[in-house]
Amino acid sequence: MEIFKYMETYDYEQLVFCQDKTSGLKAIIAIHDTTLGPALGGTRMWTYASEEDAIEDALRLAKGMTYKNAAAGLNLGGGKTVIIGDPLKDKNEEMFRAFGRFIQGLNGRYITAEDVGTTVADMDLIHEETNYVTGISPAFGSSGNPSPVTAYGVYRGMKAAAMEAFGSDSLEGKRVAVQGVGNVAYHLCRHLYEEGAILIVTDINKAAVDRVVEEFGATAVNTDEIYSQEVDIFAPCALGAIINDETIPQLKAKVIAGAANNQLKEPKHGDLIHELGIIYAPDYVINAGGVINVADELNGYNRERAMKRVETVYDNIAKVMEISRTQGIPTYVAADRLAEERIARVGKSRSQFLQNEKHILSGR
C-alpha cells in the first residue's frame, strides 16, 4: 500500500502510529479532515490479519466519520483509531493509559470514544491520561451507554424515510423486518412496538430474539428468510454489505432504514435500489444519534439538550430525500453531497477569515 498516495487521493490530513512495548499497544490513529473542528471517532480493537489491513480500516473508518459528523451538523471532523489485538485476551490497563498519552500528545486534534472491541471501562482508562475522550462512565459526567440514543435517532430517521415513501411518517401498522436485535436494535424495536408497528425479527443470538418476541410481540424468522419478508420497511441492524446482488432481488420492502454501518456492498447497489424505487436512508446519516450524543459531552453533557439534537436525524434524512428527489440522484450520493457541501462552505469561510486576518496583521 502506497500510504502517502492513498492519503493524497482521499485528502487525509494525518496518520499516527502508536507503539508501547511494555503494554503491547499497537495503534493507528487516522485523521481525515478537521475543517469543521477536531476529529471525533471511536477506537476499535480487532485481530487484523495484517498491519496493512489495520491501516486501511483506520483510513476508511476515519473518512466515514468525516461524512457522518458533517451530515449530522456537528462542528467536528472525522477520525478513527484501530488497536491491533484480541479484545478478549490482549487488553490491560497500561495499554489504554499509554494510548491516552498518545491522544493527549495530539493536543485536541483527535477525540476518541468507544467502538467495536472497546468499552466504557476502556475509555475510563484513557480518561486517566487525557480529557480528549467521550463515552466515559456517567460518574465522570458522561452520557453512558450510547445504544438507546443511537436507536432513538434511527427511529426518527425511519419516520422521515416513511414520510418520503408513504406520505405519512406514522409507523402504526407498518410491518418492519429487523435484521439483528442487539443493543441498538432492541431499543429500536421498543420504539416501533410503542408506536404500533408489526415486527419481524432475526438474529444469530436466540436469547436476543426471544427477548423481543416476548416483550414486543415480534415474529421470529430464520436469518436467511429476513430479506424476503412481506414488509413495508427493512431495518438492517447487524452486518454491513447486506444490500448486495444476492439480497436485493429478495427484498419486498419499500424502505430500507436501519442502524448497521456500511449497508451497501458497493455503490452500484445504491444505484440499483434507487432504480427499483426503494427508499434508502443512508446509514451514516440515520445512525448518527450515538455520535451526536457523545459530542454533547464536549460541552458538559446535558441529556435533554442531546436528545433534542438527536431528533434532528429526522430533518437530516428529510434533507437527503429532498436532494435525491430534486436532483434525481440516489440517496447515498445525496448524503455525500450534503456532507461535502457543508465542509466546502465552512472551509471557504474559514479560508476567507484567515486571509482577512493575515491582511490586518500585515497592515494591508
Side-chain angles (χ1 to χ4, degrees):
M1 180 183 185
E2 297 181 61
I3 293 176
F4 275 110
K5 185 175 181 181
Y6 187 98
M7 291 177 70
E8 184 179 8
T9 299
Y10 299 103
D11 203 18
Y12 286 83
E13 294 180 4
Q14 194 171 6
L15 193 62
V16 183
F17 294 86
C18 312
Q19 185 276 142
D20 181 69
K21 187 175 180 180
T22 301
S23 65
L25 173 71
K26 292 181 177 63
I28 301 161
I29 303 171
I31 298 175
H32 177 244
D33 187 288
T34 58
T35 301
L36 297 177
L40 173 66
T43 293
R44 176 170 295 193
M45 188 169 185
W46 196 255
T47 51
Y48 292 96
S50 68
E51 291 178 2
E52 185 172 281
D53 286 350
I55 293 168
E56 287 184 0
D57 203 29
L59 290 167
R60 178 182 60 83
L61 292 167
K63 184 180 179 185
M65 288 306 302
T66 294
Y67 281 72
K68 175 178 280 194
N69 293 337
L74 299 174
N75 294 317
L76 293 163
K80 206 77 171 189
T81 295
V82 299
I83 295 176
I84 301 172
D86 187 337
L88 300 178
K89 298 178 183 176
D90 298 332
K91 287 183 181 181
N92 56 67
E93 177 184 356
E94 297 82 4
M95 173 182 288
F96 287 98
R97 294 193 64 162
F99 180 54
R101 291 192 291 274
F102 282 111
I103 293 175
Q104 181 65 21
L106 291 171
N107 200 32
R109 274 181 56 75
Y110 171 66
I111 303 162
T112 199
E114 66 178 288
D115 201 286
V116 175
T118 60
T119 65
V120 171
D122 300 329
M123 298 304 109
D124 287 349
L125 292 173
I126 293 171
H127 183 57
E128 294 287 338
E129 305 289 343
T130 184
N131 288 324
Y132 300 121
V133 55
T134 59
I136 52 181
S137 295
F140 296 114
S142 171
S143 58
N145 181 6
S147 296
V149 187
T150 302
Y152 182 63
V154 174
Y155 166 67
R156 292 287 300 165
M158 186 182 290
K159 288 176 72 66
M163 172 63 81
E164 183 70 17
F166 309 117
S168 167
D169 67 4
S170 173
L171 300 177
E172 183 177 2
K174 291 288 185 291
R175 293 173 60 83
V176 184
V178 183
Q179 180 188 43
V181 284
N183 291 333
V184 172
Y186 167 79
H187 293 285
L188 173 62
C189 287
R190 176 170 54 80
H191 288 299
L192 295 172
Y193 169 75
E194 288 173 352
E195 189 168 339
I198 300 163
L199 298 171
I200 297 92
V201 302
T202 195
D203 197 295
I204 58 173
N205 184 337
K206 186 177 183 303
V209 171
D210 290 344
R211 184 185 185 191
V212 295
V213 167
E214 181 179 347
E215 294 186 24
F216 308 133
T219 299
V221 298
N222 292 330
T223 54
D224 59 350
E225 296 176 338
I226 195 69
Y227 305 105
S228 58
Q229 296 300 304
E230 294 279 357
V231 294
D232 301 292
I233 300 170
F234 173 54
C237 297
L239 304 172
I242 50 77
I243 306 300
N244 55 52
D245 290 338
E246 290 72 37
T247 60
I248 291 174
Q250 301 179 55
L251 294 175
K252 297 181 174 64
K254 179 69 174 174
V255 172
I256 299 173
N261 288 310
N262 304 313
Q263 294 170 25
L264 302 175
K265 186 172 183 180
E266 297 177 48
K268 69 175 185 179
H269 297 117
D271 298 332
L272 181 54
I273 57 177
H274 176 69
E275 291 166 7
L276 292 171
I278 298 173
I279 302 298
Y280 168 57
D283 43 40
Y284 69 78
V285 183
I286 196 172
N287 67 15
V291 72
I292 292 171
N293 187 55
V294 297
D296 192 80
E297 295 178 23
L298 303 174
N299 301 310
Y301 186 66
N302 179 297
R303 184 169 179 80
E304 183 179 350
R305 179 180 62 203
M307 294 303 288
K308 199 167 189 63
R309 190 69 183 268
V310 171
E311 288 184 2
T312 64
V313 171
Y314 184 110
D315 304 314
N316 295 334
I317 290 293
K319 286 178 192 173
V320 168
M321 298 300 167
E322 182 181 8
I323 294 169
S324 172
R325 188 184 340 108
T326 58
Q327 299 185 19
I329 56 177
T331 54
Y332 81 94
V333 177
D336 287 355
R337 196 162 290 180
L338 177 70
E340 289 164 356
E341 288 178 354
R342 180 167 182 251
I343 293 168
R345 287 196 308 272
V346 174
K348 183 178 180 181
S349 173
R350 178 172 292 176
S351 176
Q352 185 62 52
F353 172 80
L354 292 174
Q355 187 176 3
N356 292 342
E357 192 174 57
K358 182 179 178 181
H359 288 165
I360 291 170
L361 291 173
S362 66
R364 293 170 60 190

